[in-house]
Amino acid sequence: MRADGPPASPPAALRLNIDRDALAANWRTLDRLSGKARAGAAVKADAYGIGARIAVPLLWQAGCRDFFVTYVGEAADILDLVPSASIALLHGPLSDADAGWARATGVRPVINSHEQARRWLEAGGGLCDVMVDTGINRLGLPMAALGDALVQRLEIDVLMSHLASADEDVALNAIQRAGWDEARSALTHRRASLANSAGIVLGAAYHGDLTRPGLSLYGGIARAELAAEIQPVARPMAAIMQVRTLSAGDGVGYNSTFVAPAPMRVGVIALGYADGYLRCWSGGKGAMLFEGRRLPVLGRVSMDMTVIDLAEAPELGEGDWVEADYALVEGAAASGLSQYELLTLLGHRFAR
Ligand SMILES: *Cc1c(COP(=O)(O)O)cnc(C)c1O
């Protein structure tokens, strides 16, 4: 045993390249598109898989002053990076312990129900946010509860609602906006907020004082109007661990779903479904990229590895790196997953 502990671990064979400038630029773009409102940032789910501890300081430096997380644990994870008053807890106080923790740290709980309002006030209350449900019928205070004596007693910073279909042009958007306007008249508050990434595009009537983009900060194209404005942020990379030469008739991976039609050179890369590279990319649906050339996936994606065709890149060998073809719009169309899923899937084994 060594007295000074184990040596630092060498770099992983898979990494997530994060374009820090693109992330900051995307926030500035969404802030500009928010008009008179300021843009905040949804950094829940580890900043959509990018890594909250990487994203939050970059966003703060870009000018972002409002961060939305889901759970207490996610707020705790960034508490040393930004002032607690800039963090809002979207699921609200789910227990008395949550309410006590929010009181003690200064993180703002988002009150979503009569019960949460009672819990927050009993814990001592103080500045909080309120989520009003205007038609998504998910978490949120029903419109009918706006007049509640308990709700009226809340000291509200951000009065928010959440759009169900901002990525579509449907009547529900204006209905929800009208409900949110009604809530703004019914409850005293400091700031009003409605739009997510897609909602920002719907125009000034949806902006209020604060917008809450998530997806498009991280390179997702929430609506076609954003395609020319938003830059990709995350690029998954994996190293080739082994190169083999197959003979005609050799099967690849579990269940031999690919059989070599002729001799071919293949690479085994350190990326699998445990990293979020799901089996939907099996059988050539997915590919790695090397200098613009496509190296299709052969056979099934395994838990920790994937086999790719090296025909287009004969110069590649063990230890070389390839990039997953992970363009979000095209990847969503090819995989049947949403852009949100593609991002939040990216696992903890990537070096970021
Ligand atoms: C996740 C979330 C957002 C961000 O939505 P995007 O579609 O990713 O921009 C905004 N507001 C709330 C309440 C959310 O839960």
Side-chain angles (χ1 to χ4, degrees):
M1 236 177 71
R2 297 163 52 102
D4 52 354
S9 54
L14 73 172
R15 64 173 186 247
L16 195 62
N17 277 3
I18 294 161
D19 187 334
R20 287 157 165 79
D21 294 338
L23 176 60
N26 287 343
W27 182 82
R28 282 193 293 267
T29 296
L30 293 160
D31 187 55
R32 171 173 53 77
L33 295 174
S34 298
K36 292 201 181 77
R38 298 308 311 270
V43 297
K44 61 196 179 183
D46 207 18
Y48 289 44
I50 298 295
R53 293 194 58 83
I54 295 169
V56 166
L58 290 167
L59 292 164
W60 176 273
Q61 220 179 348
C64 181
R65 293 295 177 267
D66 290 276
F67 300 89
F68 297 88
V69 297
T70 303
Y71 296 105
V72 161
E74 293 181 338
D77 192 35
I78 58 170
L79 213 47
D80 61 324
L81 300 176
V82 289
S84 60
S86 65
I87 305 173
L89 201 56
L90 287 167
H91 275 8
L94 296 171
S95 63
D96 292 345
D98 283 359
W101 187 87
R103 281 273 305 166
T105 55
V107 166
R108 283 197 321 281
V110 178
I111 302 301
N112 291 288
S113 65
H114 180 91
E115 177 58 20
Q116 288 195 346
R118 185 199 56 72
R119 189 174 283 143
W120 179 240
L121 291 168
E122 277 178 11
L127 207 57
C128 64
D129 293 351
V130 166
M131 170 67 78
V132 179
D133 194 317
T134 53
I136 193 168
N137 287 303
R138 224 173 49 167
L139 204 56
L141 203 67
M143 292 294 288
L146 295 181
D148 268 22
L150 213 58
V151 173
Q152 290 283 339
R153 273 174 53 204
L154 293 171
E155 193 185 325
I156 305 169
D157 181 356
V158 181
L159 177 61
M160 67 182 95
S161 189
H162 192 58
L163 296 165
S165 308
D167 57 337
E168 297 180 286
D169 292 312
V170 291
L172 182 58
N173 289 330
I175 293 169
Q176 287 199 267
R177 197 201 67 219
W180 172 67
D181 284 337
E182 195 183 321
R184 290 163 79 177
S185 315
L187 290 175
T188 304
H189 61 281
R190 296 183 184 177
R191 298 181 290 169
S193 175
L194 178 63
N196 58 354
S197 302
I200 290 171
V201 176
L202 297 179
Y206 290 78
H207 292 163
D209 305 300
L210 177 67
T211 59
R212 307 186 308 271
L215 182 72
S216 291
L217 291 173
Y218 311 110
I221 307 302
R223 280 183 67 110
E225 293 91 330
L226 292 170
E229 310 257 14
I230 295 299
Q231 307 172 29
V233 170
R235 296 187 307 141
M237 310 279 301
I240 298 174
M241 301 184 290
Q242 190 173 11
V243 171
R244 17 186 357 113
T245 303
L246 305 179
S247 305
D250 284 348
V252 169
Y254 285 121
N255 310 106
S256 301
T257 59
F258 175 82
V259 176
M264 60 191 291
R265 203 164 159 270
V266 305
V268 185
I269 60 167
L271 174 69
Y273 59 75
D275 306 303
Y277 195 71
L278 300 189
R279 296 214 315 178
C280 61
W281 301 114
S282 300
K285 291 219 179 68
M288 299 298 127
L289 300 172
F290 182 74
E291 292 178 352
R293 287 168 275 165
R294 243 180 106 73
L295 315 174
V297 171
L298 299 174
R300 292 221 161 116
V301 172
S302 298
M303 186 183 294
D304 317 300
M305 58 187 112
T306 296
V307 178
I308 57 172
D309 187 350
L310 293 180
E312 294 295 318
E315 72 269 45
L316 287 181
E318 286 166 22
D320 287 333
W321 288 79
V322 291
E323 176 183 343
D325 182 5
Y326 215 71
L328 294 174
V329 172
E330 295 78 3
S335 65
L337 300 169
S338 69
Q339 297 179 65
Y340 296 84
E341 290 168 291
L342 289 174
L343 283 171
T344 56
L345 277 166
L346 296 169
H348 293 291
R349 298 197 293 195
F350 287 97
R352 284 171 166 83

